[in-house]
Amino acid sequence: MNRKLTDRVKNAIPIGANARFFTETIEVETLSPLAFFEAGRSDYGDHRFLWQNADNTVKLVGIGQAAVLTAETERFQSISSQWKALCEGLIKEEKDMDPVLFGGFSFDPETRQDEEWQAFPAAYFTVPLFQLKMENGKTYVSINYVTEEMEAAAEFEALRQERDRLTHIAEVEEFTIQSKPALVSQTEIATERYMQAVEKVTSQINQQIAEKVVIAREIKLTFEEEFQKTAALNAITNEQQASYHFGLQIGEDMFFGATPERLVEIKNGQAYSACVAGSIHRGKSAKADQQLGEQLLRDKKNREEHQYVVDMITEVFTEFCTSLQVNKTPKLLKVRDIQHLFTPVEGKLAEDMDIFRLVEALHPTPALGGVPRKTALEIIREEERMDRGFYAGPIGWTDAAGNGEFAVAIRSGLLTGNEAYLYAGGGIVADSKPDEEYAETWVKFRPVLRALGGSLHE
């Protein structure tokens, strides 16, 4: 690539009012999303993302940056407005895929304090320069190019050559998944503070200050050397196959995970969400697993915790949708280490709404914040005293046609240098006990711990 284009890729230009947004798509032979992600490592390793939905029907990879959208205040509305303005300059043919905007929001901008999250603004989204999308059994690679220059033909031709080079690498060249680096240490951070927080919050709930508050904690892993980003994504996708898989790399840091919880999906004007709250571990046999599942379905504490989420999401969908479907009783959602109570919600989205409006209204659900929401957030800030960063925040994508999907970024961790920070929490209610809540967090740490080679807590 020429020097001018290389500079643009590594430092996406600010978007002006006269920006034109070009996209072009070709269909290619089926290839591995991880291979395409890795193909961009040498030249675009600072700006990559990966997404796979829970049923593996949509897979996305982004390499490089055509545009970057960030916001610190009024962040949902700001990202929505910036994206709409950018799409007003979109130039595409009917055969071309809609360009994708991918990124996420921090859990709570008011808790920004920890050094490890410095690379992540309160809201960060990127339009990739090169976009892989696998859907309906077909694989497409798109170029997305934003420019204010009147003459862009030469630069776009250079991008076509670069697209073909990256696709060829992913299709033909073998790449090696590096072995996991040796673990030097695994450290629990502020465990005593967490235990005290659970105790204090339980007391506040018994005083009827709140009904439920989610309290989280973190652990830190230190390795002998930096953990290869592709290796981490490969490990987590293999560990938790029936989950939403994501990886968002900004500079040398990558936030990644495998979450069972969809926040919202919009597809052809239909909106979908999932109420996931209340949990119990998996059994060591099929019979034991079934008995634990039945116990969870009957458990008063977990059913109440689940109902908070159902009520809140139903209320939001009633406001934003013209029709609504909600199951009356929860099902079981089972992943490798844990099973949850699960209730799907579906509605026809009103015409003047977009996915960012829904995300703003839904975040945080009672499963990650609490009830009532405002009071729970105030208690979390006061008692948890931890920068969650993008943990438990909304992460996902939308496209120029208004389709998209966001998940709740739990079962996740942040890779930064030779360190990793992992996060887990649980809903505190009137009869919560610190020791039991502490044990539950270890179950929730397991997917990322196992992926990174950490020590599981039995």
Side-chain angles (χ1 to χ4, degrees):
M1 294 178 70
N2 63 52
R3 182 69 186 172
K4 182 179 179 183
L5 209 49
T6 302
D7 289 343
R8 283 183 50 86
V9 169
K10 296 183 184 297
N11 303 287
I13 63 168
I15 301 165
N18 298 319
R20 292 184 297 162
F21 184 4
F22 297 95
T23 190
E24 180 183 274
T25 304
I26 61 170
E27 185 176 352
V28 299
E29 294 296 319
T30 298
L31 51 82
S32 160
L34 280 176
F36 193 72
F37 183 88
E38 180 66 10
R41 179 171 60 88
S42 60
D43 292 322
Y44 313 94
D46 291 349
H47 306 290
R48 296 179 291 173
F49 69 77
L50 178 142
W51 167 273
Q52 295 180 177
N53 65 359
D55 57 10
N56 278 327
T57 56
V58 175
K59 301 180 181 182
L60 297 169
V61 177
I63 295 175
Q65 296 176 313
V68 175
L69 313 183
T70 64
E72 292 291 342
T73 59
E74 301 293 332
R75 53 196 185 140
F76 299 97
Q77 182 57 45
S78 175
I79 296 298
S80 176
S81 298
Q82 291 179 63
W83 177 233
K84 286 176 182 175
L86 182 59
C87 288
E88 285 177 1
L90 180 62
I91 300 168
K92 66 185 283 290
E93 295 184 9
E94 189 175 344
K95 67 178 180 61
D96 295 319
M97 301 290 290
D98 285 299
V100 162
L101 179 74
F102 182 89
F105 299 91
S106 66
F107 178 80
D108 180 5
E110 294 191 29
T111 61
R112 300 297 299 275
Q113 59 183 2
D114 290 347
E115 189 175 305
E116 62 262 25
W117 287 107
Q118 284 186 349
F120 289 75
Y124 175 93
F125 285 81
T126 179
V127 180
L129 197 63
F130 303 102
Q131 168 188 312
L132 171 77
K133 187 172 186 181
M134 301 178 72
E135 187 175 28
N136 300 324
K138 294 187 176 181
T139 303
Y140 306 92
V141 177
S142 300
I143 299 167
N144 300 314
Y145 183 48
V146 179
T147 182
E148 293 182 334
E149 302 292 332
M150 292 305 296
E151 295 296 328
E155 290 192 0
F156 206 88
E157 182 56 38
L159 287 172
R160 290 189 181 105
Q161 295 176 21
E162 180 68 356
R163 172 201 64 199
D164 294 344
R165 184 184 75 87
L166 292 168
T167 303
H168 183 267
I169 291 171
E171 287 176 335
V172 175
E173 295 187 14
E174 294 185 12
F175 73 97
T176 303
I177 299 290
Q178 295 178 5
S179 58
K180 299 172 184 177
L183 181 66
V184 175
S185 64
Q186 179 171 309
T187 308
E188 297 187 51
I189 298 176
T191 304
E192 189 59 35
R193 185 180 73 198
Y194 166 81
M195 302 293 273
Q196 290 173 357
V198 173
E199 194 169 344
K200 287 180 181 178
V201 170
T202 304
S203 175
Q204 289 176 298
I205 291 170
N206 281 304
Q207 295 171 45
Q208 298 185 334
I209 296 172
E211 297 176 57
K212 174 192 173 183
V213 180
V214 176
I215 297 296
R217 68 188 189 95
E218 63 183 315
I219 59 177
K220 176 183 175 181
L221 307 183
T222 303
F223 304 96
E224 279 192 352
E225 57 190 37
E226 185 175 345
F227 209 112
Q228 184 194 32
K229 306 299 189 295
T230 309
L233 291 172
N234 179 65
I236 197 69
T237 53
N238 287 332
E239 290 290 345
Q240 299 289 118
Q241 295 189 11
S243 296
Y244 294 86
H245 303 119
F246 61 88
L248 175 60
Q249 186 170 356
I250 305 176
E252 297 181 355
D253 302 340
M254 184 178 77
F255 178 59
F256 77 108
T259 174
E261 187 167 348
R262 170 207 279 158
L263 184 64
V264 63
E265 178 186 12
I266 295 177
K267 188 173 183 179
N268 299 324
Q270 198 75 3
Y272 307 86
S273 189
C275 310
V276 180
S279 60
I280 199 167
H281 60 276
R282 300 297 302 270
K284 295 187 180 299
S285 67
K287 184 177 181 180
D289 199 59
Q290 180 182 357
Q291 290 172 341
L292 285 166
E294 291 170 354
Q295 177 185 332
L296 176 61
L297 287 166
R298 295 191 304 267
D299 185 77
K300 182 175 180 291
K301 171 183 176 292
N302 280 287
R303 286 294 292 265
E304 287 180 352
E305 184 179 339
H306 183 76
Q307 194 60 42
Y308 288 136
V309 181
V310 174
D311 291 344
M312 181 266 194
I313 292 179
T314 300
E315 182 179 342
V316 170
F317 267 54
T318 300
E319 178 183 354
F320 286 84
C321 297
T322 57
S323 63
L324 185 66
Q325 292 177 277
V326 186
N327 286 10
K328 293 183 178 179
T329 57
K331 309 173 186 177
L332 292 174
L333 174 64
K334 300 189 178 191
V335 292
R336 181 170 179 178
D337 296 297
I338 197 168
Q339 44 190 323
H340 297 279
L341 295 176
F342 163 74
T343 298
V345 179
E346 179 179 346
K348 178 69 175 176
L349 191 67
E351 296 217 356
D352 58 339
M353 300 299 172
D354 72 359
I355 199 165
F356 294 108
R357 292 281 300 278
L358 264 177
V359 169
E360 180 178 20
L362 290 168
H363 173 74
T365 70
L368 279 306
V371 179
R373 181 192 291 184
K374 183 180 178 186
T375 302
L377 284 173
E378 290 170 353
I379 293 173
I380 290 169
R381 291 166 191 152
E382 178 66 26
E383 302 297 345
E384 187 180 271
R385 287 181 287 158
M386 178 183 78
D387 184 356
R388 293 189 183 186
F390 272 38
Y391 162 70
I395 191 165
W397 63 276
T398 187
D399 66 19
N403 299 307
E405 188 165 25
F406 278 77
V408 181
I410 54 176
R411 313 294 189 271
S412 56
L414 176 69
L415 284 175
T416 174
N418 67 330
E419 297 174 340
Y421 293 85
L422 281 56
Y423 305 86
I428 310 304
V429 290
D431 58 352
S432 292
K433 297 176 176 57
D435 288 347
E436 292 177 0
E437 297 297 332
Y438 173 81
E440 183 179 322
T441 61
W442 277 112
V443 176
K444 294 173 177 177
F445 277 130
R446 280 183 183 177
V448 183
L449 261 181
R450 193 184 288 114
L452 298 182
S455 301
L456 299 179
H457 189 277
E458 300 296 341

